[in-house]
Amino acid sequence: MRIALIGATGFVGTPALTELLQRGHQVTVLARHPEKLPAQPNLTVVKADALVADQVAAAVRGHDAVLSAYNPGWTNPDIHDEFLRGYDAQVAGVKQSGVKRFVMVGGAGSLFVAPGVQLVDTPTFPAEYKAAASAAREALNRLRGEDSLEWTFLSPPILLQPGERSGNYRLGSEQPLMDGDQPGHISVADLAVALVDELENPRHVRARFTVAS
């Protein structure tokens, strides 16, 4: 497949790029600073700003799918607004390009821990992640109204950690997966496996899903 990847140098995007290339896909990375990505077989790096819809459209046109692992950076004081600006620009650009398949990595904060109660609204949710989690929730809410894209939103489990690739994971939908009475977890390498599996064999079109080891 021809996959356009946004956020390839980030915590999730880096292993996603590795997984895509290891499976033999042709990958186009959108990057503000293409020099940060070393040349590799089957990899094309295009200078493009994920916050500018026209640049996104030009870069992703002709691809089979767009995978967004975009994150403005956890230390960015404007992370909430910039996350949503990026989301809006990417969705507008993908629609403009004619590509139908859009897979996005969001957060665990929008998972439901009780009827009508999302994780981000619980008293113990870490304050330093609340702005980003709230933005990802808003992006999911906007995606739910998109009927022209074959979108998928992946929420990681509560604990997303560095670690090895096992290739194994469990699937969930709207509630966080648990490990007994403890929060579920997954390595970021296995999250990348789930992302590429979804691209290759879509099972959650116009839906959100979650995973855990």
Side-chain angles (χ1 to χ4, degrees), residues 98-213:
V99 176
K100 293 298 184 185
R101 188 77 171 110
F102 179 67
V103 176
M104 175 182 179
V105 182
S110 58
L111 293 166
F112 287 90
V113 294
V117 180
Q118 291 172 299
L119 182 65
V120 67
D121 295 323
T122 58
T124 56
F125 192 85
E128 62 269 28
Y129 298 132
K130 190 152 191 171
S134 298
R137 171 172 60 183
E138 176 59 26
L140 174 58
N141 290 340
R142 295 182 190 183
L143 267 181
R144 291 195 195 277
E146 281 291 342
D147 56 9
S148 62
L149 293 178
E150 297 170 1
W151 61 267
T152 298
F153 187 100
L154 172 58
S155 285
I158 292 174
L159 298 176
L160 177 61
Q161 304 160 323
E164 298 300 315
R165 180 192 190 280
S166 74
N168 300 314
Y169 57 90
R170 295 178 288 143
L171 287 170
S173 56
E174 293 290 329
Q175 294 81 37
L177 293 169
M178 303 296 287
D179 186 6
D181 60 355
Q182 297 299 310
H185 63 89
I186 200 168
S187 72
V188 71
D190 280 336
L191 187 81
V193 173
L195 279 169
V196 182
D197 284 352
E198 177 65 25
L199 285 166
E200 292 179 346
N201 299 292
R203 299 173 64 183
H204 304 91
V205 177
R206 298 194 178 98
R208 180 255 290 280
F209 76 107
T210 187
V211 293
S213 294

Side-chain angles (χ1 to χ4, degrees), residues 6-29:
I6 299 169
T9 59
F11 182 58
V12 172
T14 297
L17 176 59
T18 298
E19 186 72 21
L20 285 164
L21 292 174
Q22 285 179 345
R23 296 201 202 182
H25 296 292
Q26 301 281 335
V27 183
T28 299
V29 165

Side-chain angles (χ1 to χ4, degrees), residues 33-47:
H33 303 286
E35 67 278 2
K36 290 185 177 180
L37 286 143
Q40 298 182 63
N42 294 332
L43 174 63
T44 301
V45 183
V46 174
K47 185 174 176 61

